[in-house]
Amino acid sequence: MKSKQKWNNYGEKKFRAEQIFQWIYKKNVTTFDDMTNLPEPLREKLKENFDLHVFKIIRKQESKDGTKKYLFDVLDNNAIESVLMEYKYGKTICVSTQIGCKMGCKFCASTGVKFARSLEAGEIVEQLLAIERDENVKISNLVFMGIGEPLDNYENVMKAIKLLNHPKGINMGARHISISTSGLVPNIYRLADENIQCTLSISLHSASNEVRSKMMPINNLYNIQELIEACKYYINKTNRRISFEYALAKDNNDNIKDAEALVKLLKGMLCHVNLIPINKIEDGKFTKSTNENIIKFRDYLNSHGIVATIRRELGSDIDAACGQLRKKEVSK
Ligand code: SAH
């Protein structure tokens, strides 16, 4: 909900705020007229002073595996993508946090599109509300793995998590939320001190600074050793297991030597490695490892004390898999 002008409370009772909050976040209505337990004059005042900021669906695509990709008009001439995935344990939404991304990872489709702006907390949460309305479902898990770097939009992402958690609203537990970061070290420390129970995923992709810097420019700012220090602090502070994302690209980071270096780096840490067969993007120089290499890589990690799994790729036929999302212009 967005204020059109500075709100003054018109002497309304406090409990009205709670009613409105529930209409938006629990009952997921899209107009003030739907808020039937509010007196008519209050509904009129709300209409004059606020916009509910309901996203328009520009396009919805459905994959053979049931994954759905949405392109939303965020109402200022910009558009973002969100993905709904089906897992055994429930429905998971992958949300965007920014319109574009500043990180410049060489293998990611969100790179190469001009950064427009960060999303507000309400716009992050509206992605979930809009899909729940459209599909008439309850989404149980949320991952910050769409377009953008969540820790580069820190305040709004924290605010969105509080909204998602709220028992009188969406009521999604923090343990059902994952934040994925390319490695903004100072904000990993900040997150550790927040005392929230969400899962942290680190996009690591290599144990070698030389290789990682070629994939992710952020590594020139915060190298692997600084990143791992921050992760250790996070684990100590939260007692939560970190998930390391590792996108395997042929002849780049998928050799047994690379697995050896990864074992050395992560040995003894409370962590899990998520192996992703890299998705080739347009003009990208990184290509998928062979299945054989991916399995060898996983088995090497598992037999050397690092728990590793291969992520099942969902939605690749509709460009909805990891790293395939990009900001799409709204054509007007
Ligand atoms: N900016 C955040 C979140 C968005 S990306 C981050 O970097 O973590 C979500 C995940 O998809 C990250 O692990 C990212 O490295 C990975 N990813 C990006 N492009 C990919 C590609 N082409 N193939 C496989 N994974 C990719």
Side-chain angles (χ1 to χ4, degrees):
M1 187 157 92
K2 280 197 175 173
S3 177
K4 291 182 195 164
Q5 53 196 295
K6 200 162 169 34
W7 169 249
N8 73 59
N9 72 7
Y10 294 100
E12 294 294 338
K13 294 262 168 22
K14 259 190 175 167
F15 75 94
R16 295 289 180 210
E18 187 173 321
Q19 286 179 324
I20 297 166
F21 185 87
Q22 292 204 344
W23 279 116
I24 297 173
Y25 297 107
K26 191 167 187 167
K27 300 181 192 147
N28 201 352
V29 301
T30 55
T31 71
F32 291 110
D33 285 326
D34 291 326
M35 303 184 181
T36 47
N37 60 358
L38 304 182
E40 180 69 37
L42 174 56
R43 282 188 242 160
E44 288 309 314
K45 268 190 277 182
L46 288 170
K47 274 190 237 172
E48 275 163 36
N49 289 286
F50 293 94
D51 275 325
L52 274 172
H53 213 75
V54 172
F55 286 171
K56 281 198 207 91
I57 299 172
I58 303 169
R59 195 173 59 231
K60 177 180 175 185
Q61 288 166 276
E62 208 169 326
S63 151
K64 289 196 292 278
D65 61 33
T67 301
K68 284 152 193 154
K69 183 171 79 169
Y70 287 81
L71 179 67
F72 290 118
D73 177 357
V74 298
L75 314 179
D76 67 349
N77 255 340
N78 281 304
I80 47 155
E81 290 184 319
S82 323
V83 179
L84 179 69
M85 294 163 291
E86 303 271 350
Y87 288 103
K88 280 196 290 289
Y89 49 81
K91 293 184 194 297
T92 299
I93 181 176
C94 174
V95 294
S96 293
T97 53
Q98 298 181 310
I99 303 171
C101 186
K102 292 188 242 167
M103 296 301 115
C105 300
K106 299 282 185 282
F107 49 88
C108 177
S110 299
T111 293
V113 221
K114 220 174 130 248
F115 177 83
R117 66 174 173 88
S118 284
L119 294 178
E120 290 172 21
E123 293 175 312
I124 294 171
V125 177
E126 172 59 8
Q127 296 169 56
L128 174 132
L129 295 174
I131 296 183
E132 285 194 343
R133 285 193 301 270
D134 182 62
E135 286 274 310
N136 198 17
V137 291
K138 182 81 187 149
I139 296 172
S140 55
N141 296 65
L142 181 142
V143 295
F144 287 100
M145 294 192 185
I147 303 163
E149 167 52 51
L151 296 190
D152 185 39
N153 185 15
Y154 191 88
E155 276 81 14
N156 288 323
V157 166
M158 289 307 119
K159 235 167 129 182
I161 292 175
K162 288 195 180 110
L163 282 171
L164 292 161
N165 282 164
H166 204 290
K168 289 184 173 153
I170 296 164
N171 197 17
M172 180 184 277
R175 285 168 185 268
H176 294 256
I177 299 173
S178 295
I179 300 182
S180 179
T181 180
S182 56
L184 293 190
V185 165
N187 282 350
I188 295 175
Y189 284 102
R190 232 171 128 188
L191 184 66
D193 291 334
E194 295 278 352
N195 224 353
I196 46 174
Q197 289 292 304
C198 57
T199 301
L200 181 62
S201 291
I202 303 285
S203 300
L204 185 61
H205 306 320
S206 176
S208 137
N209 278 313
E210 196 190 327
V211 176
R212 190 169 192 264
S213 292
K214 282 187 190 143
M215 301 174 82
M216 309 173 72
I218 185 79
N219 198 63
N220 295 311
L221 200 55
Y222 307 111
N223 68 24
I224 295 175
Q225 284 61 40
E226 292 168 288
L227 178 59
I228 295 296
E229 270 313 299
C231 291
K232 288 184 175 159
Y233 180 82
Y234 186 90
I235 296 168
N236 265 333
K237 203 70 212 268
T238 61
N239 245 325
R240 302 276 293 152
R241 188 168 80 149
I242 285 188
S243 168
F244 288 100
E245 310 292 301
Y246 196 108
L248 287 155
K250 192 162 176 267
D251 301 330
N252 172 62
N253 59 352
D254 68 341
N255 211 283
I256 287 301
K257 271 212 191 82
D258 300 298
E260 264 172 43
L262 190 59
V263 168
K264 260 203 197 119
L265 184 70
L266 302 182
K267 198 90 202 192
M269 278 174 88
L270 184 63
C271 70
H272 168 262
V273 173
N274 223 330
L275 298 170
I276 319 167
I278 211 160
N279 288 298
K280 190 176 179 326
I281 56 163
E282 239 176 76
D283 307 326
K285 70 176 175 110
F286 298 106
T287 52
K288 232 181 213 134
S289 300
T290 59
N291 282 345
E292 194 194 331
N293 266 9
I294 296 172
I295 290 166
K296 265 198 203 150
F297 203 95
R298 180 200 58 194
D299 292 348
Y300 184 89
L301 295 180
N302 280 329
S303 61
H304 288 79
I306 305 286
V307 182
T309 47
I310 300 167
R311 182 186 286 171
R312 193 160 63 96
E313 280 294 281
L314 293 175
S316 50
D317 56 335
I318 53 166
D319 286 349
C322 287
Q324 291 186 315
L325 297 189
R326 44 192 298 131
K327 175 199 165 200
K328 299 255 165 75
E329 297 297 332
V330 188
S331 46
K332 285 235 155 101

